[in-house]
Each structure stands twice: as structure tokens, then as C-alpha cells.
Amino acid sequence: YLLSYAFNQDFSCFVCGTTAGFRVFTLTGESLHNGGFKEVCRREHSAGFQNNSVMLISMLYKTNIFAMVTQVIAPQDESAQGGMNKVQIWDERKQKFVGELRSRNEVKAVALKKEVIVMVCEYAIYVYTCDQLKVILHLTTGSNKSGLCVLAVASDPWLLCCPGQSTGAVRVQVGQEAEATHVFQAHQSGLAALALNASGSLVATASETGTVVKVFRTSDGQALYRLRRSTRPAVISSLTFRSDDCFLAVA
């Protein structure tokens, strides 16, 4: 059964976490009606996943590296690895877990870039280097049960947006330096969705009320667009910029 899914950084592939492991699909360029994607990898009921469900998963571009949070199906099996308080790094080429990041709290999300791995908990976000899995940043947030946290795909240095400590606030973190951080107020109610464009110059936000979507400039938090969806509240679960930044998809 499907438990989670996520696109890679350039939207050329997506990975699905299941009750038996994970599967990777690539987009073919055809329409969905004509079979616009195909399965390219399946790792289920095999070593490392015999008793684990993949609750959360993220893939690094089209490489063999995956970061995931697994849940043990059979707790009585002492050989089974996994738990909602750690992120495991899977190397598909070696067909084994090659690293692990532990937390005292349940992991709500995980994000990847070539330079960093981001582990998101309800009240904190930890940024690790990809090469040595060394923590370089600890960010404190308000309640973040949905695990909201986004990385800009093409920014240099890396750029991250996440909830601030106050309700409806957005924190922009550029690299690990403290002086590159700033926080701005996006909504009066809690955040429901975040999205960055590829360069990291724009961030889109939606609140738990769901009536308005806003677009801000990340450099200074200046509001650029206010897009009213409706006067009736709704649950907004996802936001995505088109590659040319001319359109914003809202679900």
C-alpha cells in the first residue's frame, strides 16, 4: 500500500514509500493518459525492508541515494531496523543502508540537496552535511506537525524556508550563517503549505484558513502577490511553481 510519495529535485522522477519498501518512477514526457511515467526501480520485500514500511522518503536527483523514515511492522523481530525518530540513508547501488540520523522526537519530513540533508521534527529542524552527516544547523520552529520545510533546487548557497517560531511566520535561511537569516509574517493563522521556486528568490505560502495564497520575495520578505482562492475556507495541501515562475499550482 502507498504511504508517501515525493518528486526529486528536477521533477524528472518520483519515489513512493510503501508498506513493503519503495518504488521509483520516471516521467516519460508523454501525457498521463498515454502512460506518462514508468517504473524504473522497485525495492520491496528485500533485505532491509522485510519488516519495514517506508513512511517518508526523499530521493537525490537521479542518483542511487534515498533518505527515508521507516516503521517496523514486526516489533518482536529484533533484527528489523527502523523507527519514526530517525532518518536512514539508503544506497541503491550497494543495496544497503549507509547512514543514519537520529532524533529524540518523531521525524515529520526529510529534504535533500547535494550539499545538505534536512530532518524536520515538530518543533525543530536539523541540517546535516551530506558527505559526513554532521549537523551544522539547529533551527527552532513553532508547532510544525505537517513537517513544512522546502529547499531551493538551484540556489547557491543553499536556501531553506520553514515556519518561524510565531504563528504564520516564515523563516528564510541562506546557508548556515546566522546573518543570512530573516523572518517575516506571512499569515495570521498557521501555515499549511510552502513552496520555493528553483532559484530561491520567491516563496509561496498558504495558511490553514486556505482562502488566500501569497507570494513573497525571499530576500526581504516583501509581499508580491496575493491570490484569493475563495472566501470559503479550504485545506491547501500543496503549492508548486512552474519552472519559468509564471504559474503557481495550488492543490
Side-chain angles (χ1 to χ4, degrees), residues 8-11 60-61 112-116 150-161 173-175 195-202 218 241-245:
N8 67 346
Q9 288 76 10
D10 61 7
F11 297 99
L60 183 61
Y61 291 92
L112 285 175
K113 205 180 174 194
K114 290 181 179 179
E115 304 96 326
V116 293
V150 286
L151 283 167
V153 175
S155 65
D156 185 20
W158 57 267
L159 186 147
L160 175 153
C161 280
Q173 180 74 39
V174 184
L196 279 166
N197 66 342
S199 66
S201 61
L202 302 174
T218 56
F241 284 97
R242 202 172 74 168
S243 57
D244 60 5
D245 299 339

Side-chain angles (χ1 to χ4, degrees), residues 7 10 12 27 36 47 54 56 121 149 158 162 193-194 197 203 210 221-222 234 236 243 246:
F7 279 93
D10 61 7
S12 60
L27 302 182
V54 177
L56 300 169
C121 300
C149 182
W158 57 267
C162 65
L194 287 173
N197 66 342
V203 59
Q222 175 66 44
I236 295 178
S243 57
C246 292

